[in-house]
Amino acid sequence: LITFFLDWKDRLLGYDPCFVKWFSRGEYVVVGGANKQCNLHTKEGVKLGTIGDQQSWVWAAAVRPDSNYVVWSVDYLWDS
């Protein structure tokens, strides 16, 4: 079982997370990994929704301070 630590509580994710990034001045958390998604959670760990679905693991993300922008990376290349 995989859990991660948020606001003094463990929450079961059900997948291996590759990153946890604080978002919107610490009110939310962006999490992703083996589930091939980038998800938005409350700071207590409650999942609010999926930001993006991918075809492979989501390995990393970056958030832009004081904005609503999130970018993430995966391990495949797009066909042109």
Side-chain angles (χ1 to χ4, degrees):
L1 299 177
I2 300 297
T3 60
F4 70 100
F5 181 77
L6 290 174
D7 202 26
W8 301 100
K9 298 176 186 175
D10 285 342
R11 299 287 180 172
L12 179 64
L13 288 178
Y15 63 91
D16 292 327
C18 293
F19 65 88
V20 175
K21 294 287 185 177
W22 291 105
F23 184 65
S24 189
R25 299 182 181 176
E27 291 299 313
Y28 303 99
V29 195
V30 177
V31 183
N35 64 340
K36 302 178 184 178
Q37 296 178 337
C38 190
N39 297 310
L40 184 66
H41 294 257
T42 65
K43 65 183 178 183
E44 291 83 18
V46 178
K47 182 178 174 183
L48 297 174
T50 300
I51 298 172
D53 287 309
Q54 301 299 312
Q55 297 175 1
S56 184
W57 284 34
V58 181
W59 290 99
V63 298
R64 184 173 181 177
D66 299 323
S67 74
N68 292 328
Y69 295 106
V70 177
V71 295
W72 56 86
S73 66
V74 294
D75 64 352
Y76 67 90
L77 299 174
W78 286 287
D79 293 331
S80 53

